[in-house]
Amino acid sequence: MQAPLNGIRVLELARVLAGPWIGQTLADLGADVIKVEAPGGDETRGWGPPFAEDGTAAYYHSCNRNKRSIALDFCDPDDLALVRDLARSADVLIENFKVGGLAKFGLDYATLSAETPGLVYCSVTGFGQDGPDAGRAGYDFIIQAMSGIMDITGEPDGPPTKPGVAYADIFTGLYGTIAVQAALRARDATGRGTHIDMALMDAQMGVLANQAANYFVSGRSPKRLGNSHPNIVPYQTFEAADGPFVIACGNDGQFARLSREMGKDWAADPRFARNADRVTHRAELVALIAAEVASLSRDALMALLDRAGVPGSPIRTIAEAFDTEQARHRGMAVPRPDDAPEGAPATMVRNPIRFSAHDLARPQPAPMLDADGPEIRAALRRRAGEKDAAPGWPERPTRSGR
């Protein structure tokens, strides 16, 4: 079965994480993604250690699988002509240059859409194409500081903390992927593409979710609660006898069953009967549960929660997470294919999307810098030498499963 975006041509003029994440997700879904890099390469190629055997940082490999790479210098007239040829024959263009930065090269949306009306053009910036901050650079860390998410992350008496992954970039990448697919669907109906304006700041604020709603309803900014939930109790970490453990009671029935399994009558106590009561009396209830949990091993606590039908888990390392039976069953760690270049990482993370009627692209490691450049240049120049030839997309080599 073909991947659902088979035949879609994507030109990626993006680096670091948010833009490449869009390109990688589209590539996983079957699109042919050509990544154009400056002669020095995407800077994340050097964001290590750790480095794969090919000398490329693991960071780069995390967001560039299933793509082709060509190194081109926009300041070189011949190279720029090749980029413009690729752009004119692409379905989608992804870029994360500063606002207006591509206009001087004739690679802006206004110029390209006049030549290719069906082009879906996705711009990724820190703050968007307009507004007082539009010209500012915006790395994920800065966006997390500005958007409010760091202020609600961390222990109540500790400093604001960022998550362990660049979530502003990742969320922007996922929203960008959704937007690209929606724009392609609209193009099917109208024949016209569109300009997509994705901002890291917008995306990070857009996923403040219940915390933003809590602010709008109450008029008060939420505060840090560590690993506790602002709206549900008990829904947090506890210390078992041999390590940290998460208990997550999502409703009153689960709490009642937890109480019974622990041999307590907490659910009959008017302070704790309903979730709203438990939130009000959070400190008293958490202290009671913590005292019980402290005497149990994590295995014993997991067995108790399973009997009660209450979600819970010990806090795992990344290594432990990939080593679970469930992760192995779902194939979340994918071995490098036999035809992949030597030196690439031996294992990749599987795209989590599954279809009943489609395959995803067979995972291929991120390409070495300019790995496909000679082949792409040759194809474009052959095309340019043909009389009256329109711009043509250089076809990718056929591999089984793609």
Side-chain angles (χ1 to χ4, degrees):
M1 294 181 286
Q2 286 190 337
L5 293 185
N6 188 65
I8 296 295
R9 301 159 299 186
V10 178
L11 181 63
E12 183 185 300
L13 309 182
R15 60 198 186 279
V16 187
L17 185 53
W21 200 267
I22 299 174
Q24 176 172 268
T25 307
L26 296 173
D28 289 345
L29 292 168
D32 181 12
V33 179
I34 294 178
K35 181 182 182 71
V36 176
E37 300 184 66
D42 188 316
E43 53 259 55
T44 60
R45 287 184 179 274
W47 282 12
F51 293 95
E53 291 180 11
D54 63 9
T56 303
Y59 197 112
Y60 178 84
H61 281 284
S62 76
C63 51
N64 287 287
R65 65 175 173 260
N66 285 334
K67 301 176 186 177
R68 294 193 276 170
S69 170
I70 182 171
L72 296 170
D73 182 353
F74 291 3
C75 294
D76 180 289
D78 291 336
D79 280 4
L80 181 57
L82 295 180
V83 178
R84 287 178 58 81
D85 279 349
L86 288 169
R88 285 195 294 267
S89 54
D91 297 293
V92 178
L93 187 149
I94 305 163
E95 61 92 6
N96 65 351
F97 283 70
K98 290 182 180 179
V99 174
L102 288 177
K104 62 184 177 183
F105 301 112
L107 293 170
D108 56 303
Y109 176 68
T111 300
L112 293 178
S113 63
E115 301 172 345
T116 310
L119 180 66
V120 173
Y121 189 109
C122 182
S123 295
V124 179
T125 57
F127 300 94
Q129 298 294 304
D130 50 33
D133 290 335
R136 298 182 64 177
Y139 273 14
D140 174 275
F141 196 10
I142 302 304
I143 299 300
Q144 291 198 35
M146 297 179 72
S147 66
I149 188 65
M150 284 183 66
D151 189 55
I152 59 171
T153 305
E155 293 299 323
D157 56 352
T161 304
K162 70 178 182 67
V165 171
Y167 277 125
D169 277 325
I170 298 296
F171 283 130
T172 306
L174 293 176
Y175 273 120
T177 302
I178 295 167
V180 166
Q181 292 178 99
L184 288 171
R185 175 64 184 89
R187 189 187 69 172
D188 289 344
T190 67
R192 296 199 61 85
T194 190
H195 184 208
I196 299 167
D197 176 6
M198 294 300 310
L200 271 67
M201 186 70 168
D202 296 353
Q204 184 62 77
M205 295 187 74
V207 295
L208 290 173
N210 59 300
Q211 293 285 39
N214 289 345
Y215 162 65
F216 288 131
V217 169
S218 71
R220 297 187 298 273
S221 286
K223 301 300 181 184
R224 290 189 293 282
L225 291 172
N227 290 317
S228 300
H229 196 288
N231 304 110
I232 311 171
V233 175
Y235 202 99
Q236 65 177 77
T237 54
F238 293 91
E239 281 294 325
D242 54 354
F245 199 100
V246 169
I247 297 176
C249 282
N251 56 57
D252 295 340
Q254 289 178 351
F255 176 68
R257 295 195 298 274
L258 174 68
S259 301
R260 285 197 300 271
E261 282 296 331
M262 288 189 165
K264 305 297 180 181
D265 58 358
W266 296 327
D269 188 321
R271 295 176 299 169
F272 310 139
R274 298 176 306 150
N275 181 67
D277 304 318
R278 296 193 293 278
V279 172
T280 300
H281 298 281
R282 178 192 301 269
E284 301 100 301
L285 178 58
V286 167
L288 293 171
I289 297 174
E292 295 299 316
V293 169
S295 64
L296 298 172
S297 70
R298 295 196 294 180
D299 286 347
L301 183 55
M302 191 72 251
L304 183 152
L305 294 178
D306 283 344
R307 292 194 301 271
V310 173
S313 174
I315 295 177
R316 295 169 174 155
T317 65
I318 289 177
E320 288 170 339
F322 277 104
D323 194 40
T324 60
E325 186 176 343
Q326 181 67 16
R328 290 194 298 272
H329 176 84
R330 298 287 290 182
M332 289 307 300
V334 180
R336 180 180 67 199
D338 293 339
D339 59 350
E342 288 296 323
T347 308
M348 297 173 284
V349 180
R350 178 179 68 79
N351 185 301
I353 298 171
R354 283 192 173 194
F355 297 103
S356 64
H358 302 281
D359 288 329
L360 295 181
R362 189 166 64 95
Q364 288 286 335
M368 293 289 287
L369 178 61
D370 203 41
D372 306 281
E375 176 184 283
I376 293 172
R377 290 185 193 90
L380 290 172
R381 287 168 179 155
R382 280 197 304 272
R383 186 76 175 176
E386 296 175 6
K387 186 178 180 180
D388 299 325
W393 187 262
E395 297 300 321
R396 64 185 171 192
T398 300
R399 292 190 177 102
S400 60
R402 294 204 65 172

